[in-house]
Amino acid sequence: MEEFRQKVEREGKNLGNGILKVDSFINHQVDPSLMDACGLEFARRFANVGATKILTAEISGIAPALMAGRHMNLPVVYARKSKPITMPDQVYLTVAPSHTKGRLVELIVSPEYLAGGERVLIIDDFLASGATIIGLVRLAQTAGAKVVGVGALIEKSFEGGRAMLKYLNVPIESLVCITSMDNGKIVFGDCK
Amino acid sequence: MEEFRQKVEREGKNLGNGILKVDSFINHQVDPSLMDACGLEFARRFANVGATKILTAEISGIAPALMAGRHMNLPVVYARKSKPITMPDQVYLTVAPSHTKGRLVELIVSPEYLAGGERVLIIDDFLASGATIIGLVRLAQTAGAKVVGVGALIEKSFEGGRAMLKYLNVPIESLVCITSMDNGKIVFGDCK
């Protein structure tokens, strides 16, 4: 994913406090061709995990999850952060701290679309502290589903998320790895 | 889009009060292949409007807009409903009533990604009262951009949105047209 790394390097902005602004191609404006290439790469890396469903969190996870789902021919479920009126009363709900919002957010999935026995691939835009992804893991496990992999567009390894997810014992794949954002810089590296 | 109409007929649920639940393939779980087919159809219908950007609203507009963007090779901007910390202080902001939330929601776009001179194609999941789409039109016009078309996955013609948008004098295309949801039924028709 050298193409994607170059895009992050060229257009990503370090706003301080570990906040990486990638609003020009992921978080506000989206580059569909690039997201599609990322989806294809996820499909390649997770070809052998036997996933039956992709799980992500609204809002920014939708684009990469959708494109991964397209290439893997899998349905995508995005956890809602507020309960729409179309959702049944009984739901799976957890809370996770949001780094960019500075507060706890709810993650809600309807039991209609996440069932026991499913093999769930989690895809999100960022792997940072791992808090959102661990929230998605809890939802999957509550539903009786098995998490079989975790993929992120961008990993900020200095926030320690990968270590937090190690207990899952599943493949963790990030397409771009950032090892430091100290002093206004963005340092790329290897997150393995 | 007979394939798409059949999916709506098979899986759409009339919850009353004009609420159509399509959570199994659009609004919570997403069918990537079907969304891709819808994106291709939007690309076909809007091939000649000269669009330079696609504008949608988070959350449910993202999937169809992204797939349309893929086939039209255009960037997609999704209006945010709350201002993330990565956004500059000066933004374009409007409010629109949300039918499913029963309150006003904000629609926010950064001037970084919506500029004067752009030719904007608006894509959303539903065309109902037209309120959200008119909000997006206001954002585009405030930015000095020109709206060149409006596309929706599903139109509920009985809510009158098409008439509200007529003043724009641009092509309005919906892939599925529902003319009535009275008495628990879902009646399909022609929205032209």
Side-chain angles (χ1 to χ4, degrees):
Chain A
M1 292 304 290
E2 180 57 20
E3 172 198 9
F4 182 52
R5 197 195 64 76
Q6 286 177 11
K7 184 89 166 178
V8 176
E9 189 163 26
R10 207 165 51 237
E11 298 190 20
K13 289 194 174 66
N14 182 343
L15 300 188
N17 286 318
I19 303 290
L20 180 69
K21 173 171 172 167
V22 284
D23 286 7
S24 64
F25 57 106
I26 300 177
N27 292 147
H28 183 25
Q29 180 166 259
V30 187
D31 180 333
S33 301
L34 186 64
M35 281 303 112
D36 195 48
C38 291
L40 181 61
E41 179 65 14
F42 282 131
R44 192 183 69 77
R45 296 196 191 188
F46 293 109
N48 299 316
V49 299
T52 61
K53 192 159 278 190
I54 292 175
L55 179 63
T56 189
E58 69 181 29
I59 300 160
S60 307
I62 295 174
L66 189 69
M67 290 308 192
R70 182 174 102 76
H71 288 287
M72 300 178 82
N73 202 23
L74 293 176
V76 173
V77 171
Y78 55 93
R80 309 295 312 242
K81 289 179 181 166
S82 63
K83 190 169 168 293
I85 55 175
T86 52
M87 208 178 260
D89 292 337
Q90 302 284 329
V91 296
Y92 301 125
L93 185 151
T94 190
V95 292
S98 166
H99 190 50
T100 44
K101 296 200 170 159
R103 58 175 171 85
L104 290 173
V105 296
E106 293 184 335
L107 295 171
I108 307 168
V109 168
S110 169
E112 299 163 293
Y113 311 117
L114 195 57
E118 294 264 26
R119 295 174 61 84
V120 171
L121 172 60
I122 294 174
I123 299 282
D124 207 355
D125 56 342
F126 278 97
L127 168 56
S129 71
T132 302
I133 288 170
I134 287 171
L136 294 173
V137 169
R138 278 198 301 271
L139 291 176
Q141 291 174 340
T142 304
K146 183 176 165 55
V147 174
V148 296
V150 174
L153 291 176
I154 301 173
E155 179 171 352
K156 297 190 286 186
S157 66
F158 55 93
E159 294 195 32
R162 183 175 287 265
M164 294 290 287
L165 296 170
K166 202 170 177 189
Y167 77 99
L168 291 171
N169 202 26
V170 299
I172 300 170
E173 296 282 348
S174 51
L175 305 188
V176 163
C177 172
I178 295 174
T179 56
S180 168
M181 290 176 62
D182 290 345
N183 305 315
K185 294 194 179 125
I186 301 174
V187 182
F188 295 88
D190 188 350
C191 286
K192 292 288 154 129
Chain B
M1 291 305 289
E2 182 56 22
E3 170 198 12
F4 183 51
R5 197 195 62 78
Q6 287 177 10
K7 183 88 166 179
V8 176
E9 189 163 26
R10 207 164 52 238
E11 299 190 19
K13 289 192 175 66
N14 182 343
L15 300 188
N17 286 319
I19 304 289
L20 180 69
K21 174 171 171 167
V22 284
D23 286 7
S24 64
F25 57 105
I26 299 175
N27 292 147
H28 183 24
Q29 181 167 258
V30 186
D31 179 333
S33 300
L34 186 64
M35 281 303 111
D36 195 47
C38 291
L40 182 61
E41 179 65 14
F42 282 131
R44 192 183 69 76
R45 296 196 189 187
F46 294 109
N48 299 316
V49 299
T52 61
K53 190 159 282 189
I54 292 175
L55 179 64
T56 189
E58 69 181 27
I59 301 161
S60 306
I62 295 174
L66 189 68
M67 290 309 193
R70 181 175 103 75
H71 288 287
M72 300 179 81
N73 202 23
L74 294 177
V76 173
V77 171
Y78 54 93
R80 310 294 313 241
K81 289 178 181 166
S82 64
K83 189 169 169 292
I85 54 176
T86 52
M87 209 178 258
D89 292 336
Q90 301 285 329
V91 296
Y92 301 125
L93 184 151
T94 190
V95 292
S98 167
H99 189 48
T100 45
K101 297 201 169 157
R103 59 175 171 83
L104 290 174
V105 296
E106 293 184 336
L107 295 171
I108 308 167
V109 168
S110 169
E112 298 164 292
Y113 312 116
L114 195 57
E118 296 264 26
R119 295 175 61 85
V120 171
L121 172 60
I122 294 175
I123 298 281
D124 207 355
D125 55 343
F126 280 97
L127 168 55
S129 72
T132 302
I133 289 171
I134 288 171
L136 294 173
V137 168
R138 276 198 302 272
L139 291 176
Q141 290 174 340
T142 305
K146 182 177 167 54
V147 174
V148 296
V150 175
L153 292 175
I154 300 174
E155 179 171 351
K156 297 189 285 185
S157 66
F158 55 92
E159 294 195 32
R162 183 176 288 262
M164 294 290 286
L165 296 171
K166 201 171 177 191
Y167 77 98
L168 291 171
N169 202 26
V170 299
I172 300 170
E173 297 281 348
S174 50
L175 305 189
V176 164
C177 172
I178 294 173
T179 57
S180 168
M181 290 176 62
D182 289 345
N183 305 314
K185 296 194 178 123
I186 301 173
V187 182
F188 296 89
D190 188 347
C191 286
K192 291 290 156 124

mmCIF file of all heavy atoms in Angstrom, chain A residues 4-24:
data_model
loop_
_atom_site.group_PDB
_atom_site.id
_atom_site.type_symbol
_atom_site.label_atom_id
_atom_site.label_comp_id
_atom_site.label_asym_id
_atom_site.label_seq_id
_atom_site.Cartn_x
_atom_site.Cartn_y
_atom_site.Cartn_z
ATOM 1 N N PHE A 4 -1.066 4.371 -0.742
ATOM 2 C CA PHE A 4 -1.842 4.890 0.376
ATOM 3 C C PHE A 4 -0.928 5.600 1.386
ATOM 4 O O PHE A 4 -1.246 6.673 1.885
ATOM 5 C CB PHE A 4 -2.605 3.733 1.036
ATOM 6 C CG PHE A 4 -3.495 4.159 2.177
ATOM 7 C CD1 PHE A 4 -4.415 5.184 2.024
ATOM 8 C CD2 PHE A 4 -3.417 3.527 3.401
ATOM 9 C CE1 PHE A 4 -5.237 5.575 3.074
ATOM 10 C CE2 PHE A 4 -4.234 3.909 4.454
ATOM 11 C CZ PHE A 4 -5.140 4.937 4.287
ATOM 12 N N ARG A 5 0.245 5.028 1.625
ATOM 13 C CA ARG A 5 1.195 5.644 2.555
ATOM 14 C C ARG A 5 1.606 7.031 2.057
ATOM 15 O O ARG A 5 1.676 8.001 2.823
ATOM 16 C CB ARG A 5 2.436 4.759 2.738
ATOM 17 C CG ARG A 5 3.273 5.128 3.976
ATOM 18 C CD ARG A 5 4.653 4.510 3.945
ATOM 19 N NE ARG A 5 5.448 5.008 2.834
ATOM 20 C CZ ARG A 5 6.027 6.212 2.796
ATOM 21 N NH1 ARG A 5 5.922 7.026 3.815
ATOM 22 N NH2 ARG A 5 6.713 6.582 1.724
ATOM 23 N N GLN A 6 1.845 7.124 0.769
ATOM 24 C CA GLN A 6 2.232 8.420 0.183
ATOM 25 C C GLN A 6 1.118 9.453 0.330
ATOM 26 O O GLN A 6 1.375 10.626 0.564
ATOM 27 C CB GLN A 6 2.591 8.244 -1.290
ATOM 28 C CG GLN A 6 3.942 7.573 -1.487
ATOM 29 C CD GLN A 6 4.271 7.326 -2.951
ATOM 30 O OE1 GLN A 6 3.583 7.828 -3.843
ATOM 31 N NE2 GLN A 6 5.314 6.548 -3.188
ATOM 32 N N LYS A 7 -0.127 8.988 0.198
ATOM 33 C CA LYS A 7 -1.264 9.898 0.357
ATOM 34 C C LYS A 7 -1.309 10.434 1.798
ATOM 35 O O LYS A 7 -1.514 11.634 2.018
ATOM 36 C CB LYS A 7 -2.564 9.147 0.033
ATOM 37 C CG LYS A 7 -3.803 10.013 0.083
ATOM 38 C CD LYS A 7 -4.102 10.669 -1.249
ATOM 39 C CE LYS A 7 -5.514 11.240 -1.295
ATOM 40 N NZ LYS A 7 -5.786 11.909 -2.550
ATOM 41 N N VAL A 8 -1.111 9.549 2.767
ATOM 42 C CA VAL A 8 -1.106 9.970 4.169
ATOM 43 C C VAL A 8 0.042 10.945 4.412
ATOM 44 O O VAL A 8 -0.118 11.964 5.094
ATOM 45 C CB VAL A 8 -0.993 8.752 5.112
ATOM 46 C CG1 VAL A 8 -0.896 9.208 6.568
ATOM 47 C CG2 VAL A 8 -2.187 7.817 4.938
ATOM 48 N N GLU A 9 1.172 10.648 3.832
ATOM 49 C CA GLU A 9 2.349 11.503 4.010
ATOM 50 C C GLU A 9 2.125 12.881 3.388
ATOM 51 O O GLU A 9 2.491 13.910 3.955
ATOM 52 C CB GLU A 9 3.571 10.828 3.371
ATOM 53 C CG GLU A 9 4.883 11.526 3.673
ATOM 54 C CD GLU A 9 6.080 10.618 3.388
ATOM 55 O OE1 GLU A 9 5.959 9.709 2.540
ATOM 56 O OE2 GLU A 9 7.133 10.824 4.033
ATOM 57 N N ARG A 10 1.480 12.896 2.232
ATOM 58 C CA ARG A 10 1.278 14.132 1.481
ATOM 59 C C ARG A 10 0.166 14.984 2.076
ATOM 60 O O ARG A 10 0.273 16.198 2.171
ATOM 61 C CB ARG A 10 0.926 13.774 0.028
ATOM 62 C CG ARG A 10 1.278 14.789 -1.012
ATOM 63 C CD ARG A 10 1.237 14.183 -2.421
ATOM 64 N NE ARG A 10 0.001 13.481 -2.696
ATOM 65 C CZ ARG A 10 -0.080 12.190 -3.071
ATOM 66 N NH1 ARG A 10 1.001 11.469 -3.205
ATOM 67 N NH2 ARG A 10 -1.247 11.630 -3.316
ATOM 68 N N GLU A 11 -0.940 14.344 2.487
ATOM 69 C CA GLU A 11 -2.126 15.104 2.877
ATOM 70 C C GLU A 11 -2.471 15.025 4.364
ATOM 71 O O GLU A 11 -3.307 15.792 4.834
ATOM 72 C CB GLU A 11 -3.337 14.636 2.037
ATOM 73 C CG GLU A 11 -3.131 14.876 0.551
ATOM 74 C CD GLU A 11 -4.407 14.658 -0.272
ATOM 75 O OE1 GLU A 11 -5.524 14.681 0.287
ATOM 76 O OE2 GLU A 11 -4.264 14.458 -1.495
ATOM 77 N N GLY A 12 -1.904 14.081 5.086
ATOM 78 C CA GLY A 12 -2.178 13.974 6.522
ATOM 79 C C GLY A 12 -1.584 15.150 7.266
ATOM 80 O O GLY A 12 -0.502 15.630 6.937
ATOM 81 N N LYS A 13 -2.332 15.644 8.278
ATOM 82 C CA LYS A 13 -1.840 16.774 9.057
ATOM 83 C C LYS A 13 -1.806 16.394 10.528
ATOM 84 O O LYS A 13 -2.788 15.906 11.085
ATOM 85 C CB LYS A 13 -2.756 17.989 8.858
ATOM 86 C CG LYS A 13 -2.638 18.603 7.474
ATOM 87 C CD LYS A 13 -3.296 19.978 7.422
ATOM 88 C CE LYS A 13 -3.052 20.645 6.072
ATOM 89 N NZ LYS A 13 -3.726 19.942 4.951
ATOM 90 N N ASN A 14 -0.670 16.647 11.155
ATOM 91 C CA ASN A 14 -0.513 16.401 12.585
ATOM 92 C C ASN A 14 -1.039 17.612 13.350
ATOM 93 O O ASN A 14 -0.426 18.681 13.342
ATOM 94 C CB ASN A 14 0.981 16.177 12.874
ATOM 95 C CG ASN A 14 1.229 15.855 14.338
ATOM 96 O OD1 ASN A 14 0.381 16.088 15.199
ATOM 97 N ND2 ASN A 14 2.416 15.337 14.627
ATOM 98 N N LEU A 15 -2.199 17.442 13.994
ATOM 99 C CA LEU A 15 -2.808 18.568 14.720
ATOM 100 C C LEU A 15 -2.374 18.634 16.178
ATOM 101 O O LEU A 15 -2.884 19.450 16.944
ATOM 102 C CB LEU A 15 -4.340 18.463 14.659
ATOM 103 C CG LEU A 15 -5.012 18.489 13.282
ATOM 104 C CD1 LEU A 15 -6.528 18.584 13.437
ATOM 105 C CD2 LEU A 15 -4.515 19.657 12.431
ATOM 106 N N GLY A 16 -1.450 17.752 16.560
ATOM 107 C CA GLY A 16 -1.040 17.699 17.960
ATOM 108 C C GLY A 16 -1.932 16.763 18.763
ATOM 109 O O GLY A 16 -3.003 16.358 18.315
ATOM 110 N N ASN A 17 -1.461 16.391 19.965
ATOM 111 C CA ASN A 17 -2.195 15.455 20.824
ATOM 112 C C ASN A 17 -2.524 14.131 20.133
ATOM 113 O O ASN A 17 -3.534 13.494 20.442
ATOM 114 C CB ASN A 17 -3.515 16.079 21.328
ATOM 115 C CG ASN A 17 -3.273 17.121 22.400
ATOM 116 O OD1 ASN A 17 -2.439 16.915 23.284
ATOM 117 N ND2 ASN A 17 -3.974 18.239 22.308
ATOM 118 N N GLY A 18 -1.697 13.744 19.195
ATOM 119 C CA GLY A 18 -1.898 12.466 18.505
ATOM 120 C C GLY A 18 -3.018 12.477 17.494
ATOM 121 O O GLY A 18 -3.410 11.423 16.986
ATOM 122 N N ILE A 19 -3.561 13.658 17.203
ATOM 123 C CA ILE A 19 -4.667 13.751 16.235
ATOM 124 C C ILE A 19 -4.099 13.897 14.824
ATOM 125 O O ILE A 19 -3.400 14.860 14.528
ATOM 126 C CB ILE A 19 -5.577 14.964 16.534
ATOM 127 C CG1 ILE A 19 -6.127 14.916 17.956
ATOM 128 C CG2 ILE A 19 -6.716 15.034 15.492
ATOM 129 C CD1 ILE A 19 -7.139 13.847 18.215
ATOM 130 N N LEU A 20 -4.406 12.920 13.967
ATOM 131 C CA LEU A 20 -4.006 12.972 12.574
ATOM 132 C C LEU A 20 -5.212 13.351 11.734
ATOM 133 O O LEU A 20 -6.214 12.650 11.725
ATOM 134 C CB LEU A 20 -3.480 11.597 12.125
ATOM 135 C CG LEU A 20 -3.025 11.516 10.670
ATOM 136 C CD1 LEU A 20 -1.758 12.330 10.444
ATOM 137 C CD2 LEU A 20 -2.804 10.066 10.254
ATOM 138 N N LYS A 21 -5.122 14.485 11.076
ATOM 139 C CA LYS A 21 -6.222 14.923 10.208
ATOM 140 C C LYS A 21 -6.052 14.333 8.822
ATOM 141 O O LYS A 21 -5.070 14.621 8.133
ATOM 142 C CB LYS A 21 -6.244 16.458 10.145
ATOM 143 C CG LYS A 21 -7.254 17.011 9.144
ATOM 144 C CD LYS A 21 -7.402 18.513 9.269
ATOM 145 C CE LYS A 21 -8.254 19.078 8.147
ATOM 146 N NZ LYS A 21 -8.677 20.452 8.399
ATOM 147 N N VAL A 22 -6.988 13.500 8.439
ATOM 148 C CA VAL A 22 -6.989 12.922 7.089
ATOM 149 C C VAL A 22 -8.363 13.187 6.466
ATOM 150 O O VAL A 22 -8.949 12.329 5.807
ATOM 151 C CB VAL A 22 -6.651 11.405 7.098
ATOM 152 C CG1 VAL A 22 -5.159 11.192 7.314
ATOM 153 C CG2 VAL A 22 -7.449 10.649 8.161
ATOM 154 N N ASP A 23 -8.850 14.404 6.688
ATOM 155 C CA ASP A 23 -10.194 14.777 6.225
ATOM 156 C C ASP A 23 -10.287 14.925 4.714
ATOM 157 O O ASP A 23 -11.390 14.954 4.171
ATOM 158 C CB ASP A 23 -10.618 16.124 6.854
ATOM 159 C CG ASP A 23 -10.986 15.982 8.320
ATOM 160 O OD1 ASP A 23 -10.791 14.883 8.885
ATOM 161 O OD2 ASP A 23 -11.462 16.966 8.910
ATOM 162 N N SER A 24 -9.152 15.015 4.036
ATOM 163 C CA SER A 24 -9.218 15.235 2.589
ATOM 164 C C SER A 24 -9.432 13.956 1.798
ATOM 165 O O SER A 24 -9.754 14.008 0.616
ATOM 166 C CB SER A 24 -7.946 15.940 2.102
ATOM 167 O OG SER A 24 -6.820 15.112 2.295
#
